[in-house]
Amino acid sequence: MTVPVLPDRYNASTTFIDANLQAGRGSKTAIVYGDQSFTYNDVAAMVNRTGNALLKLGVQMEQRVMCLLLDSPEFVASFFGAIRIGALPIPTNTLLKPADYEYFLNDSRATVLIVSEPLYASIEPVRANLKWLKHIIVVRASTSLSASTSLNASTSLSANPPGTINFADWIAHESPKLAPADTARDDACFWLYSSGTTGFPKGAVHLQHDMIYCAENYARGVLNMNENDRTFSVAKLFFAYGLGNALYFPFYVGATTILYPGRPEPKAIYETITKTKPTLFFCVPTAYAGLLALDDTSAYDLSSVRQCISAGEALPKALYDKWLAKWNVEILDGIGSTEILHIFISNRANQARPGSSGKLVPGYDAKIADENDQELPQGEVGNLLIRGDSICALYWNKHTKTKETIVGEWIRTGDKYSIDADGYFWYQGRSDDMLKAGGIWVSPVEVEATLMLHAAVFECAVIGLMDKDELLKPKAFVVLKQGFASSPELEAELKSFVKDKIAPYKYPRWIEFVSELPKTATGKIQRFKLRQRETEK
Ligand code: 3UK
């Protein structure tokens, strides 16, 4: 694969928007959204209108625009509209809590927030604490670019919240023409927040040239994506995974993307596939398990799908086998990260080794190293380092974390891997205590800190435990304070306590009451000992 040589002056919006018009695809469907569809001409116009509206608000190059948006045409307009003017969109996880958003907005100093109406309720409680935010644009379901969303009417606000602007009104009278900002190929382009075991999430700063690198090497190189494809991604656009799958990959090759704003429940996913006929289906292992758990699937038709893709966490062989047996389409597992932007190791069609992550994607190199960064002989388990030109430039305002993670051309992924004699990579777990639940990061430290707020909890430890589908979910070990007794009621109470306080997907699926926790001489909890104990059970 060859990534086109980019000129020094380069704005990514030209590759993903203008190039489609130049290729004569202006009247081709770019986005399918409910009963509506949008052509590449429509998309170009709404991107430019949004860019012009941002300029009118005084947004300048490099200023951040936080996008707390459901998958929708407005997401597309906001993301590329900001990039068009050299501003930096920050697609943001929609599943979090007000305190998380307060942190993102203040850390990034975003001056503009574009938020979908149902998510505004998570901003309202912290509005007074936002130090830099000047404008809130609300995408109202009732007046959105396309009326047909599957959003619950009860989340509709009766009027614009005070001090906010209605998205549709905001861009309505703007010009559909706008020249791209004079950005450089190595200018910042957008940010994505990534969480770690301890400390606050880190804003990974991606550059103008990063998206084209992933689109050419993975989308075209591995998936053979082309303009006849139709993409549907269960992973939402705010994830680095979904952003490629359902936005800049299809736009790179002039394909069609199917956007679905609702919760990705198994029935809704199957119905969407049956109705909209994607050729490429992107999903995560937990959702594949959910789709396979549905009993009656006789009404669904997946025959349009030429390839299924999985990422976010390792795809167990059993799920690969079951899916192939049921639908006769192969799932290609691949590993990507927010920092590297998309998938850098992947299985290939008809050459998959179920249970492995596959082979290197063109454009990337790998090293398996020991704790001293010495490369290990082939076959040994070690830390995976990756080189490739889509790696983020830095973590915003986190100089030490940046230096710990990105070393010259290489980035430490935090994953343990081994490589077999044929060059297939086998995932062996994390080198930190982080775990994924449903493909989304859970920091055990955050869950523990939340449990500690409960009056009954003396101390606790959280690890990942495999569920019946061999997928990790958080499990808590809890030592109760004197005077409290373990009971099923207390277990249920602790679970909902966590769900209330932090993003619900982080809650412990199991709680085991114990009398003590394994600790080092200095009192640090040894989560690895609890993990060992569980695997020996
Ligand atoms: C883990 C996997 C085993 C691994 C992502 C595709 O997941 C993505 O990004 P995140 O920043 O997480 C990265 C970490 O997740 N992981 C992801 N995929 C796999 N582990 N097998 C896999 N197939 O620990 C990695 O370091 O949330 C996925 C594309 C873009 C992405 N950002």
Side-chain angles (χ1 to χ4, degrees):
M1 288 305 112
T2 22
V3 176
V5 178
L6 300 175
D8 171 58
R9 313 313 298 175
Y10 169 74
N11 184 278
S13 72
T14 57
T15 297
F16 301 97
I17 307 294
D18 307 55
N20 284 303
L21 309 193
Q22 282 148 18
R25 283 190 284 261
S27 45
K28 178 174 178 182
T29 300
I31 301 174
V32 172
Y33 181 65
D35 299 331
Q36 312 239 336
S37 59
F38 297 81
T39 65
Y40 275 104
N41 280 333
D42 295 336
V43 169
M46 68 196 189
V47 164
N48 290 341
R49 287 202 162 95
T50 307
N52 281 318
L54 286 167
L55 285 174
K56 204 168 274 179
L57 289 182
V59 176
Q60 298 183 356
M61 284 235 234
E62 287 142 41
Q63 287 187 334
R64 276 72 67 189
V65 175
M66 186 166 133
C67 303
L68 183 58
L69 291 166
L70 303 173
D71 285 12
S72 56
E74 289 85 352
F75 184 113
V76 177
S78 303
F79 182 73
F80 280 116
I83 290 174
R84 189 89 175 157
I85 66 163
L88 311 178
I90 310 176
T92 304
N93 187 336
T94 58
L95 307 170
L96 302 177
K97 296 280 184 180
D100 299 309
Y101 300 130
E102 177 180 335
Y103 167 76
F104 293 141
L105 285 162
N106 286 336
D107 179 65
S108 67
R109 301 191 200 112
T111 52
V112 176
L113 164 69
I114 308 179
V115 55
S116 293
E117 183 172 24
L119 302 169
Y120 175 76
S122 299
I123 296 296
E124 171 68 38
V126 293
R127 257 182 91 168
N129 309 338
L130 305 176
K131 297 188 197 133
W132 305 92
L133 191 69
K134 292 191 192 137
H135 308 281
I136 300 180
I137 319 294
V138 179
V139 178
R140 303 277 305 274
S142 49
T143 55
S144 85
L145 289 178
S146 40
S148 69
T149 68
S150 58
L151 302 177
N152 187 342
S154 68
T155 57
S156 251
L157 305 163
S158 54
N160 271 2
T164 69
I165 305 168
N166 177 335
F167 186 95
D169 297 343
W170 181 52
I171 66 163
H173 304 292
E174 295 299 334
S175 165
K177 299 240 176 304
L178 172 62
D182 181 26
T183 45
R185 155 184 85 210
D186 295 345
D187 258 319
C189 186
F190 61 97
W191 295 10
L192 293 167
Y193 274 93
S194 170
S195 32
T197 325
T198 54
F200 288 104
K202 304 156 295 216
V205 177
H206 277 288
L207 305 184
Q208 296 282 343
H209 67 250
D210 292 354
M211 287 189 284
I212 192 169
Y213 198 82
C214 297
E216 183 61 35
N217 287 310
Y218 174 71
R220 203 173 256 159
V222 173
L223 299 177
N224 286 311
M225 218 190 249
N226 62 70
E227 66 176 332
N228 299 321
D229 276 314
R230 292 166 68 83
T231 57
F232 176 46
S233 174
V234 163
K236 298 290 181 190
L237 292 173
F238 66 76
F239 292 114
Y241 180 41
L243 189 69
N245 302 341
L247 183 50
Y248 67 86
F249 290 172
F251 281 21
Y252 185 56
V253 297
T256 299
T257 186
I258 296 149
L259 297 182
Y260 172 71
R263 281 172 60 101
E265 305 289 356
K267 278 188 180 159
I269 298 172
Y270 274 133
E271 279 163 17
T272 303
I273 297 176
T274 303
K275 199 168 148 212
T276 63
K277 303 196 181 340
T279 60
L280 293 170
F281 176 58
F282 298 87
C283 192
V284 297
T286 301
Y288 278 116
L291 290 168
L292 285 166
L294 207 66
D295 284 333
D296 182 10
T297 56
S298 55
Y300 307 128
D301 176 11
L302 270 65
S303 60
S304 63
V305 179
R306 69 170 175 91
Q307 194 73 70
C308 295
I309 295 97
S310 177
E313 58 185 317
L315 178 75
K317 180 179 182 307
L319 282 179
Y320 170 98
D321 289 338
K322 272 193 219 166
W323 186 264
L324 184 63
K326 184 169 173 68
W327 294 111
N328 200 26
V329 205
E330 190 177 45
I331 306 178
L332 297 184
D333 189 10
I335 173 174
S337 80
T338 303
E339 287 81 352
I340 304 172
L341 190 54
H342 216 278
I343 291 176
F344 49 87
I345 293 171
S346 175
N347 281 288
R348 312 296 203 271
N350 306 317
Q351 299 168 37
R353 287 208 181 156
S356 94
S357 306
K359 293 182 177 183
L360 275 171
V361 169
Y364 297 93
D365 297 307
K367 242 181 354 197
I368 306 284
D370 66 12
E371 297 312 314
N372 303 317
D373 278 345
Q374 295 305 304
E375 210 167 336
L376 289 165
Q378 182 263 313
E380 285 190 31
V381 175
N383 300 316
L384 176 68
L385 286 96
I386 291 289
R387 174 166 67 186
D389 212 5
S390 61
I391 297 173
C392 63
L394 73 154
Y395 292 128
W396 176 252
N397 270 351
K398 300 231 171 350
H399 188 54
T400 305
K401 281 259 173 5
T402 302
K403 288 188 290 185
E404 285 166 3
T405 311
I406 304 171
V407 192
E409 293 188 299
W410 296 87
I411 183 165
R412 301 181 204 281
T413 61
D415 296 303
K416 301 260 184 213
Y417 264 90
S418 62
I419 312 178
D420 69 19
D422 302 320
Y424 283 79
F425 286 68
W426 296 82
Y427 181 68
Q428 310 284 352
R430 291 284 305 171
S431 51
D432 51 23
D433 287 324
M434 289 296 278
L435 63 126
K436 287 282 193 88
I440 321 179
W441 283 127
V442 178
S443 162
V445 175
E446 187 189 13
V447 182
E448 289 160 5
T450 309
L451 280 166
M452 290 296 285
L453 299 174
H454 191 280
V457 177
F458 175 64
E459 55 185 8
C460 62
V462 170
I463 62 163
L465 181 71
M466 274 191 192
D467 66 11
K468 61 175 185 354
D469 294 308
E470 298 171 57
L471 300 168
L472 291 182
K473 298 286 179 305
K475 167 170 180 172
F477 296 83
V478 172
V479 181
L480 291 173
K481 281 188 193 155
Q482 274 199 343
F484 289 90
S486 62
S487 68
E489 291 73 32
L490 182 56
E491 185 178 339
E493 187 182 316
L494 290 175
K495 287 179 185 175
S496 56
F497 184 79
V498 174
K499 270 195 200 172
D500 262 10
K501 293 233 164 354
I502 57 176
Y505 62 83
K506 298 172 181 170
Y507 88 96
R509 311 302 196 268
W510 308 273
I511 293 180
E512 185 175 330
F513 296 103
V514 291
S515 53
E516 59 177 353
L517 296 170
K519 285 191 199 147
T520 61
T522 55
K524 205 169 168 273
I525 293 168
Q526 295 166 305
R527 295 191 196 85
F528 75 93
K529 286 214 171 139
L530 293 167
R531 281 198 292 266
Q532 264 167 13
R533 248 191 243 168
E534 289 292 331
T535 46
E536 283 159 12
K537 264 187 191 168

Coordinates of all heavy atoms in Angstrom, one line a residue, residues 119-162:
L119 N -28.1 14.2 25.3 CA -26.9 14.2 26.1 C -26.7 15.5 26.9 O -25.9 15.6 27.8 CB -25.7 13.9 25.2 CG -25.8 12.6 24.5 CD1 -24.7 12.5 23.4 CD2 -25.7 11.4 25.4
Y120 N -27.5 16.5 26.5 CA -27.4 17.8 27.2 C -27.6 17.7 28.7 O -26.9 18.4 29.5 CB -28.3 18.8 26.6 CG -28.2 20.1 27.3 CD1 -27.2 21.0 27.1 CD2 -29.2 20.5 28.3 CE1 -27.0 22.2 27.8 CE2 -29.1 21.7 29.0 CZ -28.0 22.5 28.8 OH -27.9 23.6 29.5
A121 N -28.4 16.8 29.1 CA -28.7 16.6 30.6 C -27.4 16.3 31.4 O -27.3 16.5 32.6 CB -29.7 15.5 30.8
S122 N -26.4 15.7 30.7 CA -25.1 15.4 31.3 C -24.2 16.6 31.4 O -23.1 16.5 31.9 CB -24.4 14.3 30.6 OG -25.2 13.1 30.7
I123 N -24.5 17.7 30.7 CA -23.7 18.9 30.7 C -24.3 19.9 31.7 O -23.6 20.6 32.4 CB -23.7 19.5 29.3 CG1 -23.0 18.5 28.3 CG2 -23.0 20.9 29.3 CD1 -21.5 18.3 28.6
E124 N -25.6 20.0 31.7 CA -26.3 21.0 32.5 C -25.8 21.1 33.9 O -25.5 22.2 34.4 CB -27.8 20.7 32.4 CG -28.7 21.4 33.4 CD -28.8 22.9 33.0 OE1 -28.9 23.2 31.8 OE2 -28.9 23.7 33.9
P125 N -25.6 20.0 34.6 CA -25.2 20.1 36.1 C -23.8 20.7 36.3 O -23.5 21.1 37.4 CB -25.2 18.6 36.6 CG -25.9 17.8 35.5 CD -25.8 18.6 34.2
V126 N -23.0 20.6 35.2 CA -21.6 21.1 35.5 C -21.3 22.4 34.7 O -20.2 22.9 34.7 CB -20.5 20.1 35.0 CG1 -20.6 18.9 36.0 CG2 -20.7 19.6 33.6
R127 N -22.4 23.0 34.1 CA -22.1 24.2 33.3 C -21.4 25.3 34.0 O -20.5 26.0 33.5 CB -23.5 24.7 32.7 CG -23.7 24.4 31.3 CD -24.9 24.9 30.7 NE -24.8 26.2 30.1 CZ -25.7 26.8 29.4 NH1 -26.8 26.1 29.1 NH2 -25.5 28.0 28.9
A128 N -21.7 25.5 35.3 CA -21.2 26.6 36.1 C -19.6 26.4 36.3 O -18.9 27.3 36.6 CB -21.9 26.7 37.4
N129 N -19.2 25.1 36.1 CA -17.8 24.8 36.4 C -16.9 24.9 35.1 O -15.7 24.6 35.2 CB -17.6 23.4 37.0 CG -18.5 23.2 38.2 OD1 -19.0 24.2 38.8 ND2 -18.8 22.0 38.5
L130 N -17.5 25.2 34.0 CA -16.7 25.2 32.8 C -16.0 26.5 32.6 O -16.6 27.6 32.5 CB -17.6 24.9 31.6 CG -18.4 23.6 31.8 CD1 -19.4 23.4 30.7 CD2 -17.5 22.4 32.0
K131 N -14.6 26.4 32.5 CA -13.8 27.7 32.6 C -13.6 28.3 31.2 O -13.4 29.5 31.1 CB -12.5 27.3 33.2 CG -12.5 26.8 34.6 CD -11.2 26.7 35.2 CE -11.2 25.9 36.5 NZ -10.1 24.9 36.5
W132 N -13.7 27.5 30.2 CA -13.3 28.1 28.9 C -14.4 28.1 27.8 O -14.4 28.7 26.8 CB -12.1 27.2 28.3 CG -11.0 27.2 29.2 CD1 -10.8 26.3 30.2 CD2 -10.0 28.2 29.4 NE1 -9.6 26.6 30.9 CE2 -9.1 27.8 30.4 CE3 -9.7 29.4 28.7 CZ2 -8.0 28.5 30.8 CZ3 -8.6 30.1 29.1 CH2 -7.8 29.7 30.2
L133 N -15.5 27.2 28.1 CA -16.5 27.0 27.1 C -17.3 28.3 26.9 O -17.8 29.0 27.9 CB -17.4 25.9 27.6 CG -18.4 25.4 26.5 CD1 -17.6 24.7 25.4 CD2 -19.5 24.5 27.1
K134 N -17.5 28.7 25.6 CA -18.2 29.9 25.3 C -19.6 29.6 24.7 O -20.5 30.4 24.9 CB -17.4 30.8 24.4 CG -16.1 31.4 25.0 CD -15.6 32.4 24.0 CE -14.2 32.8 24.4 NZ -13.3 33.0 23.2
H135 N -19.7 28.6 23.9 CA -20.9 28.3 23.2 C -21.3 26.9 23.3 O -20.4 26.0 23.1 CB -20.7 28.7 21.7 CG -20.2 30.1 21.5 ND1 -21.0 31.2 21.6 CD2 -18.9 30.5 21.2 CE1 -20.2 32.3 21.3 NE2 -19.0 31.9 21.1
I136 N -22.6 26.7 23.5 CA -23.1 25.3 23.4 C -24.1 25.2 22.3 O -25.1 26.0 22.2 CB -23.8 24.9 24.7 CG1 -22.8 25.0 25.9 CG2 -24.4 23.5 24.6 CD1 -23.4 24.6 27.3
I137 N -23.9 24.3 21.3 CA -24.8 24.1 20.2 C -25.5 22.8 20.5 O -24.9 21.8 20.7 CB -24.0 24.0 18.9 CG1 -22.8 24.9 18.8 CG2 -24.9 24.1 17.7 CD1 -23.1 26.4 18.7
V138 N -26.8 22.8 20.4 CA -27.6 21.6 20.7 C -28.2 21.1 19.4 O -28.9 21.9 18.7 CB -28.7 21.9 21.8 CG1 -29.5 20.6 22.1 CG2 -28.0 22.4 23.1
V139 N -28.0 19.8 19.2 CA -28.6 19.2 18.0 C -29.9 18.7 18.5 O -30.0 17.7 19.2 CB -27.7 18.1 17.4 CG1 -28.5 17.4 16.3 CG2 -26.4 18.6 17.0
R140 N -31.0 19.4 18.2 CA -32.4 19.0 18.6 C -32.9 17.9 17.7 O -32.9 18.0 16.5 CB -33.3 20.2 18.5 CG -32.9 21.4 19.3 CD -33.2 21.3 20.8 NE -34.7 21.1 20.9 CZ -35.6 22.0 21.0 NH1 -35.3 23.3 20.8 NH2 -36.9 21.7 21.2
A141 N -33.4 16.8 18.4 CA -33.9 15.7 17.6 C -35.0 16.2 16.6 O -35.1 15.8 15.5 CB -34.5 14.6 18.5
S142 N -35.9 17.1 17.1 CA -37.0 17.5 16.4 C -36.6 18.4 15.2 O -37.3 18.4 14.2 CB -38.0 18.3 17.3 OG -37.2 19.3 18.0
T143 N -35.5 19.1 15.3 CA -35.1 20.0 14.1 C -33.8 19.5 13.5 O -33.2 20.3 12.8 CB -34.9 21.4 14.7 OG1 -33.9 21.3 15.7 CG2 -36.2 22.0 15.2
S144 N -33.4 18.3 13.8 CA -32.1 17.8 13.3 C -32.2 17.8 11.8 O -33.2 17.8 11.1 CB -31.7 16.5 13.9 OG -32.3 15.5 13.2
L145 N -31.0 17.7 11.2 CA -30.8 17.7 9.7 C -31.8 16.7 9.1 O -32.3 16.8 8.0 CB -29.4 17.4 9.3 CG -28.4 18.5 9.6 CD1 -27.0 18.0 9.2 CD2 -28.8 19.8 8.9
S146 N -32.0 15.6 9.8 CA -32.9 14.6 9.4 C -33.8 14.3 10.5 O -33.4 14.2 11.6 CB -32.2 13.3 9.0 OG -31.2 13.1 10.0
A147 N -35.1 14.3 10.2 CA -36.1 14.2 11.3 C -36.1 12.8 11.9 O -36.4 12.6 13.1 CB -37.5 14.6 10.7
S148 N -35.8 11.8 11.1 CA -36.1 10.4 11.6 C -34.9 9.9 12.4 O -34.0 9.4 11.9 CB -36.3 9.5 10.4 OG -35.1 9.4 9.7
T149 N -35.0 10.1 13.7 CA -34.0 9.4 14.6 C -34.9 8.5 15.4 O -36.0 8.7 15.6 CB -33.3 10.4 15.5 OG1 -34.2 10.9 16.4 CG2 -32.6 11.5 14.6
S150 N -34.2 7.5 15.9 CA -34.9 6.6 16.8 C -34.8 7.0 18.2 O -34.9 6.2 19.1 CB -34.4 5.1 16.6 OG -33.0 5.2 16.9
L151 N -34.6 8.3 18.4 CA -34.5 8.8 19.8 C -35.8 8.8 20.5 O -36.8 9.1 19.9 CB -33.9 10.2 19.8 CG -32.6 10.3 19.0 CD1 -32.1 11.7 19.0 CD2 -31.5 9.4 19.7
N152 N -35.7 8.6 21.8 CA -36.9 8.6 22.6 C -37.4 10.0 22.7 O -36.8 10.9 23.1 CB -36.4 8.1 24.0 CG -37.6 7.9 24.9 OD1 -38.7 8.4 24.6 ND2 -37.4 7.1 25.9
A153 N -38.7 10.1 22.4 CA -39.3 11.5 22.4 C -39.2 12.1 23.8 O -39.2 13.3 23.9 CB -40.7 11.4 21.9
S154 N -39.2 11.3 24.8 CA -39.3 11.8 26.2 C -38.0 12.6 26.5 O -37.9 13.4 27.4 CB -39.5 10.7 27.2 OG -38.3 9.9 27.2
T155 N -36.9 12.3 25.7 CA -35.7 13.0 26.0 C -35.6 14.4 25.3 O -34.7 15.1 25.4 CB -34.4 12.2 25.5 OG1 -34.6 11.9 24.2 CG2 -34.3 10.9 26.4
S156 N -36.7 14.7 24.5 CA -36.8 15.9 23.7 C -37.0 17.1 24.7 O -37.9 17.0 25.5 CB -37.9 15.8 22.7 OG -37.4 15.7 21.5
L157 N -36.3 18.1 24.5 CA -36.5 19.3 25.3 C -37.6 20.1 24.7 O -37.7 20.1 23.5 CB -35.2 20.1 25.4 CG -34.0 19.3 26.0 CD1 -32.7 20.1 25.6 CD2 -34.1 19.1 27.5
S158 N -38.4 20.8 25.5 CA -39.5 21.6 24.9 C -39.0 22.8 24.2 O -39.5 23.3 23.3 CB -40.5 22.0 26.0 OG -39.8 22.6 27.0
A159 N -37.9 23.4 24.7 CA -37.3 24.5 24.0 C -35.8 24.4 24.1 O -35.3 23.6 24.9 CB -37.7 25.8 24.7
N160 N -35.0 25.2 23.4 CA -33.6 25.2 23.5 C -33.2 25.5 25.0 O -33.8 26.5 25.5 CB -33.0 26.4 22.7 CG -32.7 25.9 21.3 OD1 -32.9 24.7 20.9 ND2 -32.1 26.8 20.5
P161 N -32.3 24.8 25.6 CA -31.9 25.2 26.9 C -31.4 26.6 26.9 O -30.8 27.0 25.9 CB -30.8 24.2 27.2 CG -30.9 23.1 26.2 CD -31.6 23.7 25.0
P162 N -31.6 27.4 28.0 CA -31.1 28.8 28.0 C -29.6 28.9 27.7 O -28.8 28.1 28.1 CB -31.4 29.2 29.4 CG -31.9 28.0 30.2 CD -32.2 27.0 29.2

